[in-house]
Amino acid sequence: MYKQGDIQVISVFLLMGIIFIPVGLLVLHASHSVAEIVYRYDTECVPASYKNNMVAYIKDSSVPKLCSFSIKVNKTMKAPIYIYYQLDNYYQNHRRYVKSRSDKQLVHGLAYNDTSSCKPLQSHNGLPIVPCGLIAWSLFNDTYKFVLGKSELKVNRKNIAWESDREHKFGKHVYPFNFQNGSLIGGGNLDPNIPLSDHEDLIVWMRTAALPSFRKLYGRIEEDLHADDVLAIKLMNNYNTYSFGGTKKLVISTSSWLGGRNDFLGCAYIFVGSSSLLVSIFFTLLHMKSRPFREINFSSRNKSSSTD
């Protein structure tokens, strides 16, 4: 006979399989319903004369950085359509990089003087830098324009950062000061007349990524794109990823109830559910095989007890 504990273990694994597999299929279907275009442009936007020395190209300010190309929309994309930039081989999680910031300065500005955590970029020419640190200094500064037919599509760059970051982590009365004034320019500049709480591209960038390949939200297109539409894209290829072998990609994507396209979660559910089903079947067969021996043992005990 089955032990009560054996039945419970088999039931748990069976129930996990029954629940996890449909959930995984549902999540995978939601992921595949997302229309996404990924286009790598860092090498294509380098002039032919600089193909063998791309670092010299990006550092030479006299060389035009404007780059144009076209992308065909293969699947209807319903608004809002999200624009991301993707960086690969970029370690924002490096210990020295992550620590090079001052959260209190971002809130209080020049009123907060202890910016030692921002080394090596806490001051220049004896004056403090706001915002200080390597993260702000390396702000991503490629820009994108999208043209459909003869009209330019408006890219909404408002509300791309977390509301909690805008309201509580970046001061409404803190303005950039002495920023990117050194001899070595890291990335984008900031308008000194706009408070940090309104520099949403900076706020998005300051939320560092955990992995070396990551995407960050650039903006949203608030109108539909249809299959076979051809998007003309004009971008300024300003950001230097060539010095460390990084890559840059433009990502145009819709979203589902689950968010952007990500097959990992659905595959994980299906894998766990399938594994649970296999384990439950294995245990069931194992106990069915051992059941006759248990019954023989049980009957022999009854005989011996009756003899006594």
Side-chain angles (χ1 to χ4, degrees):
M1 296 178 67
Y2 286 104
K3 292 181 180 179
Q4 188 66 27
D6 296 339
I7 297 175
Q8 290 178 350
V9 170
I10 293 172
S11 300
V12 168
F13 279 109
L14 183 63
L15 186 62
M16 286 178 62
I18 292 173
I19 294 175
F20 274 52
I21 291 177
V23 170
L25 291 173
L26 181 65
V27 170
L28 209 56
H29 178 267
S31 176
H32 286 175
S33 69
V34 173
E36 182 179 274
I37 301 171
V38 181
Y39 189 88
R40 179 179 173 180
Y41 64 87
D42 56 298
T43 52
E44 181 176 324
C45 289
V46 177
S49 57
Y50 283 94
K51 288 292 185 181
N52 295 325
N53 194 353
M54 291 186 276
V55 176
Y57 153 75
I58 201 68
K59 289 184 175 182
D60 190 345
S61 59
S62 65
V63 179
K65 299 300 188 293
L66 179 64
C67 179
S68 301
F69 54 88
S70 297
I71 291 178
K72 184 177 181 181
V73 179
N74 295 319
K75 183 179 179 181
T76 298
M77 306 179 81
K78 296 290 186 181
I81 301 168
Y82 298 92
I83 310 299
Y84 301 89
Y85 56 88
Q86 177 175 326
L87 300 179
D88 300 309
N89 197 36
Y90 194 118
Y91 290 84
Q92 272 199 319
N93 59 353
H94 191 282
R95 180 174 177 271
R96 187 178 183 187
Y97 184 89
V98 170
K99 292 181 66 177
S100 185
R101 63 185 292 164
S102 173
D103 290 330
K104 289 187 177 180
Q105 189 210 54
L106 294 173
V107 177
H108 303 291
L110 293 172
Y112 185 76
N113 297 321
D114 184 9
T115 57
S116 57
S117 61
C118 290
K119 291 180 179 179
L121 293 168
Q122 71 268 38
S123 63
H124 176 68
N125 287 338
L127 297 174
I129 299 173
V130 181
C132 65
L134 287 170
I135 305 176
W137 174 80
S138 60
L139 173 64
F140 185 81
N141 62 336
D142 284 4
T143 59
Y144 310 101
K145 289 184 179 180
F146 303 87
V147 178
L148 182 61
K150 295 183 179 180
S151 60
E152 180 178 334
L153 297 178
K154 182 181 178 182
V155 178
N156 183 3
R157 303 203 64 194
K158 292 291 184 182
N159 299 322
I160 61 173
W162 290 18
E163 184 179 0
S164 58
D165 288 353
R166 298 196 309 268
E167 296 295 326
H168 306 293
K169 295 185 178 181
F170 292 80
K172 296 180 183 294
H173 303 289
V174 177
Y175 295 84
F177 178 78
N178 199 27
F179 186 71
Q180 300 288 25
N181 287 337
S183 57
L184 187 61
I185 305 300
N189 213 329
L190 298 173
D191 189 336
N193 299 312
I194 298 177
L196 293 186
S197 60
D198 290 339
H199 282 286
E200 294 199 42
D201 52 345
L202 172 70
I203 298 174
V204 170
W205 180 256
M206 294 289 285
R207 185 169 282 276
T208 53
L211 300 175
S213 294
F214 58 86
R215 294 177 180 180
K216 290 185 182 289
L217 185 60
Y218 179 84
R220 295 183 302 274
I221 297 175
E222 306 285 0
E223 57 184 277
D224 297 345
L225 296 177
H226 304 283
D228 298 326
D229 281 348
V230 177
L231 273 179
I233 299 170
K234 299 179 181 179
L235 65 86
M236 294 299 295
N237 185 30
N238 297 315
Y239 200 70
N240 182 9
T241 58
Y242 306 102
S243 296
F244 54 88
T247 65
K248 296 187 288 187
K249 296 174 184 175
L250 172 64
V251 181
I252 305 171
S253 176
T254 58
S255 65
S256 67
W257 58 269
L258 195 63
R261 183 161 192 163
N262 185 358
D263 292 346
F264 174 78
L265 185 61
C267 292
Y269 268 106
I270 292 173
F271 175 79
V272 172
S274 302
S275 301
S276 299
L277 272 182
L278 290 175
V279 170
S280 67
I281 292 171
F282 173 76
F283 280 156
T284 302
L285 293 176
L286 187 65
H287 284 288
M288 287 179 66
K289 183 178 180 181
S290 62
R291 183 177 180 179
F293 297 101
R294 292 183 179 181
E295 291 178 347
I296 292 172
N297 189 30
F298 180 75
S299 61
S300 63
R301 285 182 180 178
N302 287 340
K303 288 180 180 179
S304 61
S305 61
S306 60
T307 304
D308 293 342

